[in-house]
Amino acid sequence: MNRIFTFKRTLAFAAAIVICMTAFASAGSGVVSTEIAAAESTEMKKNKSEISDTQSKLDELEKKQAELDEKIAQTKDDISAEEENQAAIEEQINTVQETIMTLENSISDLNAEITGLEDSIAQKEIQIAEKKQEIEDGVQDFKSRIRTMYVAGSSSYSDILIGATDFYDMLMKIELVKRVAEHDDNMIDNLIDLKKRYEADEADLNAEKESLEKTKADLQEQEDAHQKQKDKLEELFAQSEAYLEQLAIDQKNFEDNKETILKEEEEFEKLLEDLYIEQAQIEAKEEAERKRLAEEAERKRQEELIKQQQQQQQNNISSSGTSGSSNAGGTTTGSQGSTDNSSYGYVDKSMFTWPVPGFYHISYGVGWRWGAYHKGIDIWSQGIRGANICASAAGTVILVSNTCTHDYGKNYSCGCGGGYGNYCIIDHGNGYWTLYGHSQRITVTQGQHVEKGDVLGQIGSTGHSTGDHLHFEVRLNGVAQNPSNYV
């Protein structure tokens, strides 16, 4: 009986040692999978960073598109801004094409992200299954250990001391019991640790599944945006083609009316030339008259001075008393007309100020177009119709035309005012004139003196005008200058 009991104990200890070795061997499992997961995590982080950078670029492109959309909408129905409208369309085409390429990169990144998440999820599911099996195996091992201890019976230190054949045998048995106890503790700790890692991996898995669903939703959104951008690009190309067709129509209209337009321009220039000569003669007469009056005033002053000196000498002879005199002088003050430009932050860069306060966009400048030379700048902005036209500098109104009743946009000349419609010209002296064309109506009169900033009329589209705007010219000794050098 004692031999059977001893055999059972020996068998139990041997089984415990085997279980212990198995547990220690399994403790290092998962190291390789952890390294793989770390590598995958680094790659996914890099991909997420690229997705974030791409999204930032898409946000910037979206903002730029919104600005260009607004600009296109503002210039769409105003043919005086047709070139600006086409420039905005062309820039928008480039922006949309860049957006499409960026979206394609984003879609590629999102697909890579989805692939990475799916691979990671599959790997985690395997790891979780392995951990679950490892836990189940550990529980079974622990159950086996408990059964073995039950079969072996109690192995207290008193039993070891009594049953030991010698001191060496006692030490060996004590060490074996100690190691078995440590194995039991390690087995329980390992099971607890496995449970924690299992739960953490399961939480990560659920988080990645949620991330996968979100990324798939983002992908669908990007694919929808990609299709919308392609549709928008086709629309912009259609608009561009429409512009080219409209431009061809405008050019044909100009070519068909070119003879009339050039004749009107020639007649208008002849009118200005005669006016310039007339003004020069008037100014020469006025200068001669001013000189005569100045000489006459100087002659009278000299005569008066001589009389005063003679009177003073007589007074000195007839009186030995004191004499006194008084001198009274006066000053004159003048005020110059003001303009509202300063309230908009505009700063004059010459003697001239901007002629349409609050509206500072030049839709067409000085230069050649279709064989005709545009001598001034066209000032246009959304809502400009009816805005005040102001004198760019003080001067005298020398010509006013208010004969045009065709106040609407048109691709031809109605023949009024030499193409300028309702307009006025101001002489500022020293050879400088300014011209203000296409007004609804000029409200000043010929010969009237105006100060800088005084209202001359309101913005309209009379004459050869494709839309509401002000045609503004600066001339020096009859020669058209570039107004942008003055305002």
Side-chain angles (χ1 to χ4, degrees):
M1 183 67 180
N2 190 35
R3 287 182 179 178
I4 293 173
F5 181 75
T6 303
F7 174 75
K8 287 169 65 179
R9 280 177 175 272
T10 304
L11 182 62
F13 287 139
I17 292 172
V18 171
I19 292 171
C20 184
M21 291 176 64
T22 303
F24 290 153
S26 64
S29 66
V31 173
V32 175
S33 62
T34 302
E35 291 176 351
I36 294 172
E40 290 178 348
S41 177
T42 301
E43 182 65 25
M44 289 176 68
K45 285 180 180 177
K46 180 182 177 183
N47 199 42
K48 285 183 183 294
S49 176
E50 290 175 352
I51 291 173
S52 177
D53 292 342
T54 303
Q55 188 58 50
S56 296
K57 186 175 181 180
L58 284 171
D59 291 341
E60 292 176 3
L61 289 168
E62 183 180 352
K63 181 179 178 182
K64 184 177 180 181
Q65 282 197 38
E67 293 172 352
L68 287 169
D69 283 340
E70 183 179 357
K71 190 173 184 180
I72 290 170
Q74 288 178 344
T75 56
K76 181 179 179 181
D77 297 323
D78 195 315
I79 52 180
S80 68
E82 59 186 4
E83 291 197 352
E84 183 184 8
N85 179 261
Q86 177 59 15
I89 290 174
E90 289 177 355
E91 186 178 0
Q92 186 72 297
I93 286 173
N94 294 332
T95 305
V96 170
Q97 286 176 331
E98 185 179 359
T99 303
I100 289 173
M101 289 188 292
T102 305
L103 280 168
E104 288 173 353
N105 291 335
S106 177
I107 289 170
S108 176
D109 290 340
L110 287 171
N111 278 320
E113 172 78 0
I114 288 171
T115 301
L117 283 169
E118 289 175 341
D119 291 344
S120 177
I121 287 170
Q123 184 67 30
K124 276 188 169 58
E125 286 176 340
I126 294 172
Q127 292 173 1
I128 288 172
E130 289 175 349
K131 281 187 174 64
K132 184 177 181 181
Q133 186 61 48
E134 191 175 352
I135 291 171
E136 290 175 354
D137 292 344
V139 171
Q140 290 300 322
D141 289 343
F142 193 68
K143 287 180 179 179
S144 297
R145 162 71 181 127
I146 293 173
R147 282 196 298 269
T148 301
M149 289 178 64
Y150 176 77
V151 171
S154 177
S155 299
S156 64
Y157 285 106
S158 60
D159 292 336
I160 293 171
L161 291 172
I162 294 171
T165 57
D166 54 31
F167 182 72
Y168 177 76
D169 183 41
M170 181 187 68
L171 291 177
M172 289 298 293
K173 289 180 177 180
I174 290 173
E175 181 63 24
L176 182 58
V177 170
K178 180 181 177 183
R179 297 223 177 171
V180 169
E182 289 177 354
H183 163 262
D184 292 344
D185 291 340
N186 289 335
M187 179 179 285
I188 294 172
D189 290 343
N190 187 44
L191 285 172
I192 294 173
D193 183 58
L194 277 173
K195 180 177 179 295
K196 289 180 179 178
R197 280 187 287 161
Y198 173 82
E199 291 173 348
D201 286 349
E202 197 170 36
D204 289 344
L205 177 64
N206 291 332
E208 287 194 358
K209 285 181 177 179
E210 290 179 4
S211 180
L212 176 62
E213 292 304 315
K214 182 180 181 304
T215 305
K216 285 182 177 180
D218 290 343
L219 176 62
Q220 185 61 51
E221 184 179 336
Q222 297 286 48
E223 288 176 343
D224 292 343
H226 183 260
Q227 185 59 48
K228 287 180 181 178
Q229 288 294 309
K230 289 174 69 177
D231 294 342
K232 184 173 184 177
L233 184 62
E234 290 181 7
E235 183 182 346
L236 286 167
F237 276 129
Q239 288 183 34
S240 180
E241 290 174 3
Y243 163 77
L244 294 176
E245 291 174 1
Q246 183 62 49
L247 195 63
I249 293 171
D250 291 345
Q251 185 171 1
K252 186 176 185 305
N253 287 334
F254 179 84
E255 295 293 341
D256 291 344
N257 295 278
K258 186 174 181 178
E259 185 177 346
T260 301
I261 293 169
L262 294 180
K263 184 179 179 181
E264 287 178 357
E265 183 179 338
E266 182 180 350
E267 290 174 351
F268 186 78
E269 291 299 321
K270 181 65 169 62
L271 172 66
L272 293 190
E273 183 179 342
D274 293 343
L275 181 63
Y276 179 75
I277 293 172
E278 181 183 338
Q279 284 297 118
Q281 292 173 347
I282 292 172
E283 289 178 4
K285 289 180 180 179
E286 290 177 348
E287 181 62 27
E289 181 64 15
R290 282 194 296 270
K291 185 177 180 180
R292 187 189 67 77
L293 291 175
E295 290 175 351
E296 179 67 18
E298 178 63 19
R299 183 182 63 77
K300 289 182 177 180
R301 191 183 71 82
Q302 291 294 336
E303 290 177 354
E304 183 65 26
L305 183 60
I306 291 172
K307 287 180 180 180
Q308 290 178 359
Q309 290 175 349
Q310 292 174 348
Q311 184 65 40
Q312 184 66 34
Q313 289 175 358
Q314 291 176 0
N315 291 339
N316 289 338
I317 294 172
S318 62
S319 175
S320 59
T322 59
S323 66
S325 64
S326 63
N327 184 20
T331 60
T332 61
T333 60
S335 61
Q336 189 176 13
S338 61
T339 178
D340 292 331
N341 278 314
S342 59
S343 63
Y344 294 96
Y346 177 86
V347 178
D348 294 346
K349 61 182 180 180
S350 71
M351 63 178 281
F352 299 102
T353 193
W354 191 263
V356 194
F359 300 89
Y360 300 95
H361 178 67
I362 298 175
S363 60
Y364 198 72
V366 174
W368 289 95
R369 187 184 191 188
W370 301 330
Y373 189 73
H374 192 248
K375 296 182 176 66
I377 58 173
D378 290 342
I379 299 171
W380 174 89
S381 289
Q382 192 73 23
I384 197 172
R385 181 172 180 81
N388 285 334
I389 303 169
C390 298
S392 192
T396 301
V397 179
I398 59 174
L399 188 60
V400 172
S401 176
N402 265 326
T403 61
C404 186
T405 58
H406 314 105
D407 186 15
Y408 48 85
K410 44 203 167 298
N411 280 316
Y412 58 89
S413 176
C414 59
C416 300
Y420 291 91
N422 296 333
Y423 70 91
C424 71
I425 297 175
I426 300 176
D427 184 351
H428 304 283
N430 298 318
Y432 282 105
W433 290 2
T434 52
L435 181 150
Y436 310 79
H438 309 306
S439 172
Q440 290 182 6
R441 182 170 181 79
I442 298 297
T443 56
V444 292
T445 57
Q446 189 168 324
Q448 179 180 339
H449 177 80
V450 293
E451 295 293 339
K452 185 176 186 178
D454 284 353
V455 176
L456 308 175
Q458 286 71 43
I459 297 289
S461 188
T462 54
H464 190 185
S465 171
T466 56
D468 298 313
H469 71 286
L470 172 68
H471 177 85
F472 177 67
E473 292 183 14
V474 175
R475 299 201 177 208
L476 178 60
N477 296 325
V479 180
Q481 310 292 305
N482 188 341
S484 295
N485 296 330
Y486 296 88
V487 296

